[in-house]
Amino acid sequence: MKKFVAILLALTLALSLVACGGAASSAPASEAASGSDSEPAAETGLTTVNPGKLTMSTNAAFPPYEMTTDSGDFEGIDVEVAAAIAEKLGLELQIDDMDFDAALLAAQQGKSDMVMAGVTVTEDRLKVMDFSDSYATGIQSIIVPEGSEIASVEDLAGHLIGTQRGTTGYIYCSDEFGEDSVIAYDNGLTAVQALNNGQVDCVVIDNAPAQEFVAANPGLVILDTEYAVEDYAIGMAKGNTELVEAVNAALAELIADGTVQAIVDKYISAN
Ligand code: ARG
């Protein structure tokens, strides 16, 4: 599988560079901050986009990593880990919700301090942004309607694949099966709705949101097969070594003391 991923990465280099630098999409900056109930701690001397704040760009339509509550607050694994990092850095977490490709670009261009959105580390992205150490593993999964003739990755050929724009799912599939075979939707949920409506034959998306979408949509199933195994990390502007080091130090402490695992366990029941 590793080799497969490596080959995919190499093959998709050019494509992803285009994707990473991709067209601007609307990026409404929601001011709603999330629950860091920490009182700002010691000054870290870090220069951030908004003084005193750690500004995180994300796409909060990716449960259980980032989503909104009924009351419009942000929650999820990334949201809580980010809040814990911000607390350690003595900063207030501010979350800006936007399209996924815009969230990547915001960090890349220094408009946000970091993108935390279940972001997969890829060789192409490493060319345009820096990443923290990894804090989670992701798997690209395939969602199909019950009884679908698609039973494996190989069966994807000749079928219409739904993905979220700018994601590794889109990049891998368009690279392997051709752009005409892949439809890019604004987010995972709209891709799943298109599957429900018969507009696509399957959806390729990260396994954790796939589980949530399938649980909420009777008649859909996730294939056993793993399309790709990936590392999630926090993306930051290239060359912002000071911030990368500070985030890594905070993350290391939060991993070592079990905080990250406790947050993951809260949202993903072990099975
Ligand atoms: N892991 C995939 C990627 O990095 C998808 C992430 C999508 N995240 C989101 N919040 N919508 O391309």
Side-chain angles (χ1 to χ4, degrees):
M1 181 57 74
K2 277 231 172 67
K3 192 168 179 193
F4 176 58
V5 173
I7 290 167
L8 276 176
L9 289 182
L11 285 174
T12 55
L13 184 71
L15 242 187
S16 306
L17 282 176
V18 172
C20 288
S25 50
S26 66
S30 123
E31 278 292 313
S34 101
S36 160
D37 15 348
S38 61
E39 63 279 16
E43 291 296 324
T44 51
L46 275 177
T47 307
T48 57
V49 171
N50 299 300
K53 294 184 175 177
L54 183 66
T55 304
M56 155 183 166
S57 52
T58 195
N59 169 244
F62 194 73
Y65 283 90
E66 44 268 331
M67 57 274 190
T68 46
T69 62
D70 290 342
S71 53
D73 292 328
F74 296 108
E75 65 172 358
I77 295 168
D78 286 344
V79 172
E80 292 203 23
V81 172
I85 291 172
E87 181 172 1
K88 284 211 179 276
L89 301 183
L91 298 166
E92 185 194 332
L93 180 65
Q94 176 179 324
I95 297 180
D96 288 350
D97 186 20
M98 60 192 79
D99 288 342
F100 179 67
D101 48 2
L104 289 176
L105 207 56
Q108 201 180 307
Q109 298 180 335
K111 291 177 182 157
S112 69
D113 295 306
M114 61 183 201
V115 53
M116 202 164 177
V119 178
T120 302
V121 181
T122 69
E123 288 180 21
D124 335 291
R125 289 176 183 163
L126 277 167
K127 294 203 160 86
V128 293
M129 65 176 79
D130 286 343
F131 279 98
S132 70
D133 297 328
S134 179
Y135 63 92
T137 300
I139 295 166
Q140 290 301 311
S141 287
I142 303 168
I143 307 176
V144 294
E146 265 166 24
S148 166
E149 58 183 29
I150 300 172
S152 69
V153 176
E154 292 69 44
D155 296 340
L156 291 177
H159 287 99
L160 206 47
I161 306 164
T163 61
Q164 179 179 17
R165 191 172 58 246
T167 61
T168 49
Y170 176 82
I171 295 165
Y172 299 162
C173 289
S174 54
D175 184 59
E176 198 172 349
F177 304 105
E179 280 189 44
D180 289 348
S181 302
V182 190
I183 300 188
Y185 292 92
D186 283 347
N187 60 55
L189 185 59
T190 46
V192 168
Q193 282 161 351
L195 179 60
N196 268 332
N197 297 337
Q199 288 157 335
V200 292
D201 301 314
C202 62
V203 167
V204 171
I205 192 168
D206 304 52
N207 185 264
Q211 303 271 4
E212 304 240 353
F213 293 142
V214 163
N217 288 274
L220 299 182
V221 290
I222 301 173
L223 296 186
D224 263 342
T225 166
E226 294 178 350
Y227 187 29
V229 180
E230 316 178 306
D231 288 326
Y232 288 170
I234 303 167
M236 288 161 274
K238 202 156 185 54
N240 195 348
T241 318
E242 199 189 25
L243 183 62
V244 173
E245 283 173 1
V247 166
N248 272 338
L251 193 56
E253 288 176 18
L254 294 166
I255 290 172
D257 72 7
T259 303
V260 170
Q261 191 59 52
I263 293 169
V264 170
D265 290 346
K266 178 176 160 189
Y267 288 96
I268 303 178
S269 51
N271 51 359

